[in-house]
Amino acid sequence: AQTVTQSQPEMSVQEAETVTLSCTYDTSESDYYLFWYKQPPSRQMILVIRQEAYKQQNATENRFSVNFQKAAKSFSLKISDSQLGDAAMYFCAYRDNYGGSQGNLIFGKGTKLSVKP
Amino acid sequence: ETGVTQTPRHLVMGMTNKKSLKCEQHLGHNAMYWYKQSAKKPLELMFVYNFKEQTENNSVPSRFSPECPNSSHLFLHLHTLQPEDSALYLCASSQLTGGQTDTQYFGPGTRLTVL
């Protein structure tokens, strides 16, 4: 069964600095998607970025980028120029890219990111 | 706002009560999900509906009963819950095309407390 591991329960970053959140996963599949979701305190979980496993190029979304290492099964999130609004729980998630499981997401336990002014 | 709404946002109920959680998506999606989010645990998928048909039930106790009357609405009926069922219940939706599902969009959740 697929698993997702986030080894950092909490992280802290100074405003305007860069922080990297770690995520590793285990799967025997070769075709899948990976996601980072952000859940601010008492607010909705929103998609930050997603990566298709068949793409070698790392996904980027403005200040957010990933380092996708398929062989190592690693999918880290880098946040550049951190802002106070980046403070949230960040969840890494995996999804098979075939219809059998209806594309169900498997989540890690999350990393709580604090941003210091 | 992600286009997925949930009501109520907070619910306190006794173990003998019957209540329902409601989810509505305004994204035109055809797949909807219920998740349970407990402290210090990964999100747990409970139910999946595609085109109003339940396609997944992850060994959820029968005291949780889902209902999907159409592709835009999803309910979770609750009865005789236990205190350990206290959690944040999240609804999500996605578009199912050709057997593949796209990105899931989440609602704000219902914070449930069972006394």
Side-chain angles (χ1 to χ4, degrees):
Chain A
Q2 293 86 356
T3 59
V4 176
T5 301
Q6 293 179 251
S7 59
Q8 306 153 315
E10 295 188 27
M11 291 282 286
S12 180
V13 63
Q14 202 73 32
E15 194 175 9
E17 298 294 310
T18 295
V19 65
T20 298
L21 308 184
S22 301
C23 173
T24 58
Y25 58 94
D26 189 24
T27 183
S28 58
E29 302 295 330
S30 59
D31 192 12
Y32 49 87
Y33 284 81
L34 295 163
F35 304 83
W36 279 99
Y37 280 89
K38 168 186 177 182
Q39 187 178 38
S42 302
R43 294 181 63 189
Q44 276 171 271
M45 180 134 42
I46 58 174
L47 179 69
V48 175
I49 200 166
R50 76 180 218 173
Q51 174 82 41
E52 291 90 336
Y54 65 86
K55 290 186 177 179
Q56 293 186 343
Q57 186 173 7
N58 289 325
T60 62
E61 287 288 343
N62 301 315
R63 298 182 294 106
F64 297 87
S65 62
V66 298
N67 183 5
F68 174 47
Q69 301 290 328
K70 191 172 184 179
K73 297 181 182 176
S74 171
F75 182 61
S76 60
L77 175 69
K78 185 172 83 171
I79 306 174
S80 304
D81 185 25
S82 297
Q83 301 175 1
L84 295 178
D86 294 333
M89 282 291 290
Y90 286 81
F91 294 94
C92 179
Y94 165 98
R95 194 194 84 201
D96 283 334
N97 195 29
Y98 66 93
S101 64
Q102 304 300 329
N104 297 337
L105 285 172
I106 300 169
F107 284 87
K109 291 186 177 182
T111 296
K112 182 178 180 181
L113 178 66
S114 302
V115 181
K116 298 178 181 178
Chain B
E1 284 297 327
T2 62
V4 182
T5 58
Q6 289 185 243
T7 54
R9 295 293 305 274
H10 300 272
L11 178 63
V12 179
M13 59 187 289
M15 290 191 286
T16 59
N17 291 156
K18 289 184 179 181
K19 297 288 184 183
S20 295
L21 310 184
K22 179 182 177 182
C23 175
E24 184 174 1
Q25 58 95 1
H26 311 273
L27 301 169
H29 289 165
N30 53 25
M32 297 187 77
Y33 311 77
W34 279 117
Y35 287 89
K36 177 183 179 182
Q37 186 177 23
S38 305
K40 301 189 187 302
K41 292 178 67 176
L43 271 77
E44 301 171 68
L45 179 67
M46 299 176 72
F47 301 103
V48 181
Y49 277 83
N50 289 327
F51 298 101
K52 304 185 298 177
E53 298 297 322
Q54 184 176 321
T55 57
E56 189 112 5
N57 176 340
N58 267 2
S59 303
V60 180
S62 60
R63 56 185 183 269
F64 295 92
S65 175
E67 178 190 1
C68 188
N70 54 61
S71 295
S72 299
H73 295 85
L74 184 65
F75 295 89
L76 188 61
H77 304 300
L78 316 172
H79 64 97
T80 60
L81 294 192
Q82 304 298 312
E84 59 264 28
D85 296 323
S86 298
L88 181 68
Y89 288 85
L90 294 171
C91 174
S93 72
S94 70
Q95 182 64 23
L96 175 65
T97 304
Q100 305 303 318
T101 57
D102 207 335
T103 299
Q104 290 183 27
Y105 293 86
F106 286 81
T110 295
R111 175 66 64 185
L112 174 66
T113 302
V114 181
L115 301 177

